[in-house]
Amino acid sequence: MAGEDVAALLDRCAGGDQSAFKRLYDAQSPRLYALALRLLKQPVLAADAVHDTFMHVWRMHASERAERFDPAHGPAEAWLAALLRARAIDTLRRGGRQPLEQPDGAASAEEGDEVLEKAPDREVPAPDGRFAALDPSAFHALRLAYLEGLTYGELADRLQQPLGTVKAGVRRALIGLKACARA
Amino acid sequence: MTGFGEPEERLLLAGDYVLGTLPADERARLRRELDGDPAMRAEIAFWEQTLATLAAEVPPVMPPIALWTRIERSVHAPGLRAPAMPVRSNRTEMSAAFWKAITAVSFLMAAGIAFVVLMDRTPMAVPVAALSRPGEPQPAFVVETRSDGVVQVMPLHPGDIPSDRDMELWSLPAGASEPQPLGVLPPAGRHLHSAMLPMGDSKLLVTLEPRGGAPDGRPTGPVLFSGALSLPD
């Protein structure tokens, strides 16, 4: 997608550039909001997570303590997604999860189905890149854990598999990805 | 779960941390210990980058316009100097003097109206707690539960805080010795999941913390506001 380099925008935000901050928000907030919705389900909670993520970005310029983006680690988009997920997971782990989820997203109908509609588990996109080397069930568990912010217990319920199997699958995936990275 | 010793243990722990599969206490413990462990931080950075490609399949969704308004307010007013817009314009408990004070601040009105309009379309909200400073009749925040399971912590008169500080919200159930962190509380308020609040009797506390909140999951600063909460079991 054409547009300003996100890493450059982050750098400008770190220097207190408010216009760059707005451009960063315009460019990145839809991705981050969508990710937050997927994790938190409730639009207001998702909005809070996005708010907190952008406040962290803004505070980089004012504070030594705020964790900064390091280009050596990889793309800026991934760093932002990680910030967002950390906020969302914190919320989920503090509050537990509402027992409302149906795979077709029906529980959040009052907010507008089109916003929270998600692909049923069956339509998993084919893994690519490093993920292609993983066995399908391990990839599936990993992907669900990542996108839905599930605990191993919730993952086991969702996949209708024993807890031990699910844990082993995700761990196999993690080990496989790391091995791929070293190769 | 023991330390970060063996490479494979570290890899899995970092992976679980980034995925979010660690239970809350292990997550908090790992985070506390990160400062002194650059190898673990590097491992976590690896997983954040590697797993981020999974996010690509999620189609973007435009956030509500009011979200940018909120962010702007948070950026420009880390400690509000005037009363913030209350959620509803027909609160019977608001005094005439309070309303006069609000109408004097037209800039905040303009920013606040968009916020109020958004909130007026949300599900019915029931006030369940008021967070105030002892001796001050005016609450700084009001806590409301909604029928959809969301709890809103709304500012009424949060006052000033230093720019290098954040307010943080905590819950302290009756009989508990340690407060539970509920997250940084921006002057513009925040939302919580109803499951984050304790059933039965508890206190809610707002403390003054370093930017980003208390680093260790325990309050480090003074209690600014508090209030009693009583939710049916």
Side-chain angles (χ1 to χ4, degrees):
Chain A
M1 195 179 199
E4 272 178 284
D5 176 60
V6 179
L9 281 174
L10 279 178
D11 207 47
R12 300 180 84 101
C13 290
D17 182 340
Q18 291 185 16
S19 149
F21 182 65
K22 177 62 166 59
R23 297 199 302 278
L24 180 72
Y25 179 83
D26 288 340
Q28 293 293 312
S29 65
R31 277 185 54 239
L32 296 173
Y33 184 63
L35 202 54
L37 275 179
R38 190 71 181 256
L39 289 161
L40 293 165
K41 314 304 179 196
Q42 290 282 1
V44 285
L45 297 179
D48 276 3
V50 175
H51 169 279
D52 291 354
T53 299
F54 278 94
M55 288 316 296
H56 179 114
V57 168
W58 180 249
R59 280 178 197 145
M60 288 188 314
H61 92 274
S63 164
E64 295 301 310
R65 284 177 41 91
E67 180 205 319
R68 286 176 173 251
F69 169 59
D70 181 353
H73 284 143
E77 290 88 340
W79 183 76
L80 286 170
L83 272 188
L84 185 289
R85 283 195 79 257
R87 296 280 180 298
I89 298 286
D90 279 347
T91 298
L92 286 173
R93 292 299 157 260
R94 281 176 191 147
R97 183 184 296 272
Q98 259 183 339
L100 50 65
E101 271 332 284
Q102 305 303 317
D104 60 6
S108 305
E110 72 192 39
E111 301 288 354
D113 286 2
E114 71 280 358
V115 165
L116 292 160
E117 186 189 342
K118 57 189 186 194
D121 291 346
R122 212 171 305 143
E123 291 176 21
V124 177
D128 61 0
R130 288 176 188 167
F131 297 93
L134 304 177
D135 73 74
S137 61
F139 170 71
H140 187 43
L142 181 75
R143 176 187 159 272
L144 260 190
Y146 182 84
L147 291 178
E148 310 272 332
L150 303 180
T151 60
Y152 280 120
E154 290 162 345
L155 208 45
D157 281 345
R158 179 75 156 260
L159 296 172
Q160 296 286 288
Q161 287 174 11
L163 184 64
T165 306
V166 164
K167 262 194 169 165
V170 169
R171 278 153 189 212
R172 221 166 41 241
L174 293 174
I175 291 168
L177 286 170
K178 187 74 178 191
C180 223
R182 285 193 188 114
Chain B
M1 287 275 259
T2 57
F4 312 155
E6 301 302 321
E8 187 172 285
E9 270 182 48
R10 180 163 52 225
L11 172 181
L12 293 175
L13 187 60
D16 275 340
Y17 175 79
V18 171
L19 276 177
T21 47
L22 288 184
D25 56 343
E26 291 181 46
R27 188 176 169 79
R29 177 182 161 263
L30 192 153
R31 185 174 276 159
R32 277 199 297 276
E33 295 174 8
L34 275 184
D35 260 351
D37 195 333
M40 195 51 163
R41 287 203 301 278
E43 193 78 42
I44 284 171
F46 167 79
W47 287 118
E48 288 177 343
Q49 290 293 332
T50 302
L51 295 175
T53 51
L54 291 172
E57 70 167 86
V58 182
V61 174
M62 288 304 295
I65 293 169
L67 175 55
W68 174 249
T69 308
R70 263 178 76 192
I71 289 173
E72 261 196 312
R73 289 174 81 192
S74 293
V75 162
H76 292 296
L80 290 178
R81 294 199 154 273
M85 256 338 247
V87 170
R88 293 171 193 280
S89 57
N90 60 352
R91 284 186 167 283
T92 53
E93 62 266 41
M94 291 295 112
S95 70
F98 181 70
W99 276 104
K100 278 190 190 133
I102 287 189
T103 52
V105 187
S106 55
F107 167 74
L108 279 177
M109 281 279 285
I113 281 171
F115 197 61
V116 170
V117 166
L118 176 75
M119 299 309 286
D120 279 344
R121 285 195 277 113
T122 56
M124 259 302 275
V126 175
V128 291
L131 307 181
S132 55
R133 223 186 278 274
E136 280 191 18
Q138 194 79 263
F141 292 91
V142 65
V143 181
E144 302 178 328
T145 57
R146 291 173 15 173
S147 51
D148 61 353
V150 171
V151 173
Q152 44 198 45
V153 183
M154 303 310 304
L156 295 184
H157 194 119
D160 275 344
I161 58 170
S163 60
D164 62 341
R165 292 277 184 268
D166 266 333
M167 292 183 286
E168 186 163 357
L169 185 65
W170 310 80
S171 68
L172 187 66
S177 54
E178 290 244 16
Q180 293 304 307
L182 297 178
V184 167
L185 178 59
R190 73 166 297 138
H191 297 92
L192 304 169
H193 190 299
S194 59
M196 293 163 82
L197 295 180
M199 296 289 109
D201 294 333
S202 64
K203 274 187 93 164
L204 294 178
L205 310 167
V206 177
T207 63
L208 194 63
E209 300 294 338
R211 269 291 195 209
D216 290 339
R218 299 185 195 101
T220 68
V223 174
L224 298 176
F225 314 111
S226 64
L229 177 71
S230 189
L231 294 177
D233 282 343

